[in-house]
Structure formats: structure tokens, C-alpha cells
Amino acid sequence: MYLIGDIGNTETKIFLFNEKLKLKKKWTISSISLTNTYLDSKIKLTLIEISKIKKILFSSVVPNTFQLIKKFLTKKNKKLKIIELKQINLKKLIKLKVNRKQVGSDRIANAIGVINNNKNYIVIDFGTATTFDVIIDKTYLGGVIAPGVKLSLENLSNKASLIPKIKLSKISNVIGTNTSKAVKSGFFWGYLGLIDNIIKLIKKSKVENNLKLFLLVVYLIYLRTQLKENL
């Protein structure tokens, strides 16, 4: 069996696969203030499952959380070898035109996940930050990091006492008739503009002279239908 995990700034996702790579279990937990007690209450693994785990691989942008989870799993079975993505030989999987020490494991994992012999990609990922990553000819060229939608919304409502907490949703009229609708409009149409413009600038950059870029859809689906850029 295989245990695969992604440790982000906000959430940690862990997946258990069998030998045929069929998903058997999955967990989504908070990455903030993790404790052994919390992990014990959330991650339920039987002794048989633990004994059958052959490999454990994590991508992590929170080193302290990775170390805590690593210790937690090692206590279950001292023989388990727990690896973080950057510890493996990435040259066998993807070429990097960046300083690997300065790029998050989550972004490298996204790039590896879309590698295709015939296509090139812009990967857009909505997490704590909104990231744009460019993969051409099996080579990761780098990308763009913009503020995350959810985090920006939360910061605005936390800092401005008269602005209510809202969730991003589609809004047809750009002119809001109240504070809530005005904020929704600003974020919905503002993020559409941000996404469209960054994609446009990437396509105009030198890396795209004779290459067509493709977008891997890993973001909020209701934004896709409104984007002007041809994906």
C-alpha cells in the first residue's frame, strides 16, 4: 500500500492507495496547530494497513507540520520510511529551470502531475495563494504567485468591521447595490481579471514564442466559463 500526502498552509490531505493504486481511504485535516491527539482522532489506520504500507510520500510547504506527521506515523511503525518530495531525485520526473529550494513542493507536484509528451500547461491552483505554473516540454519554467481568494476575503472582513464575511460566488451585475454584493463583485470580477491578465502575459512572454500553452483546470469551476483567454 502507499500513503500519499499534501501539506498546505491551511489544509493537509492524505490518501491511502492499495497495490493497484486504487484509493482506499482519504483524510482532510487542518494544518494549523496539529497535535498527536488530533492526528490520532482523525487518521485511522488498522494494524494490517500499517504493516502493508510500502512507501510514504508527502509534498509539504509547512516543515513543522511534516515533521509532526512524520513522527506520528513513525510511532505506528518504526520501519516506515517517510519521504518529502524534494528529497527524491526529481531529475527522473521533471526538468527544473528554477532553484528547487525556492519553489514549494506543492507546485512541483502539480507540474509533475500534468507532464505530457504532446502538451504544455499553465497550472492554476487555488489555495492559500493562487499560483500559476508553466510547464513546457516536460520542463518546469517557474510561475506566478498571487494572493489567495479565500485568504483575501477573510482578511478584508477581519480588518473592516462593516464588511460581512462572504464566500466567492458568481455575480452577474458588476455594480453592487449593497456592501455584500459590491464585495462579491470586486472579488469575482477582480479575480477573473487577474487570471485573464496573467495568462495573457505568460502567453506573450518569451517562453511562448512558438508554443501553445494549456490550462489544467484545478480551480473554481464557475470562474472558467467567464475567462476571456482561450484555454
Side-chain angles (χ1 to χ4, degrees):
M1 302 187 87
Y2 305 95
L3 197 66
I4 309 295
D6 174 38
I7 302 173
N9 289 294
T10 305
E11 287 184 337
T12 292
K13 297 177 181 179
I14 302 174
F15 306 87
L16 180 67
F17 296 90
N18 66 12
E19 291 77 7
K20 295 181 180 180
L21 298 181
K22 182 179 180 181
L23 181 63
K24 303 301 291 184
K25 289 184 178 180
K26 62 180 179 179
W27 302 270
T28 300
I29 60 178
S30 171
S31 298
I32 304 168
S33 302
L34 282 187
T35 64
N36 281 320
T37 302
Y38 177 78
L39 289 172
D40 256 326
S41 68
K42 294 293 183 179
I43 301 176
K44 302 294 185 181
L45 288 166
T46 67
L47 292 175
I48 294 177
E49 287 172 337
I50 293 171
S51 66
K52 288 185 176 181
I53 293 175
K54 295 179 179 179
K55 294 182 180 180
I56 300 178
L57 178 65
F58 277 85
S59 70
S60 173
V61 295
V62 190
N64 290 340
T65 299
F66 172 67
Q67 290 301 323
L68 183 63
I69 293 176
K70 185 176 180 179
K71 289 179 181 179
F72 168 77
L73 293 171
T74 303
K75 285 182 179 180
K76 301 286 185 182
N77 184 349
K78 292 182 180 180
K79 294 181 180 180
L80 290 175
K81 190 174 181 181
I82 303 158
I83 304 296
E84 205 282 324
L85 182 62
K86 287 187 179 180
Q87 294 176 323
I88 68 176
N89 186 1
L90 294 174
K91 291 180 180 179
K92 293 182 178 181
L93 300 173
I94 190 170
K95 296 177 183 178
L96 299 176
K97 289 289 187 180
V98 296
N99 183 344
R100 59 184 283 170
K101 294 180 180 179
Q102 296 296 317
V103 179
S105 293
D106 55 340
R107 296 170 65 194
I108 294 175
N110 282 345
I112 292 171
V114 300
I115 282 184
N116 184 292
N117 290 327
N118 302 314
K119 293 184 179 180
N120 307 302
Y121 295 90
I122 301 173
V123 180
I124 302 180
D125 190 358
F126 279 74
T128 305
T130 300
T131 59
F132 301 72
D133 291 294
V134 182
I135 301 91
I136 294 178
D137 294 333
K138 293 186 177 181
T139 302
Y140 174 68
L141 300 183
V144 177
I145 300 177
V149 180
K150 184 178 179 181
L151 183 63
S152 298
L153 278 168
E154 289 175 351
N155 282 339
L156 182 62
S157 60
N158 288 338
K159 297 294 183 181
S161 57
L162 294 180
I163 292 181
K165 291 184 181 296
I166 66 169
K167 292 183 178 180
L168 183 66
S169 60
K170 184 177 180 180
I171 185 166
S172 56
N173 193 348
V174 70
I175 301 174
T177 55
N178 57 43
T179 300
S180 179
K181 289 181 179 180
V183 172
K184 285 183 178 180
S185 176
F187 273 84
F188 181 76
W189 295 110
Y191 267 88
L192 279 174
L194 179 148
I195 296 165
D196 265 328
N197 197 44
I198 289 178
I199 292 173
K200 185 187 297 183
L201 290 171
I202 290 173
K203 286 183 174 182
K204 285 183 177 179
S205 69
K206 293 180 181 179
V207 302
E208 200 270 328
N209 282 340
N210 298 305
L211 296 167
K212 183 178 180 180
L213 300 183
F214 294 81
L215 176 67
L216 177 70
V217 182
V218 288
Y219 61 97
L220 304 179
I221 194 65
Y222 49 77
L223 287 174
R224 185 172 188 252
T225 58
Q226 300 295 325
L227 291 173
K228 292 181 180 179
E229 280 300 303
N230 181 18
L231 305 174

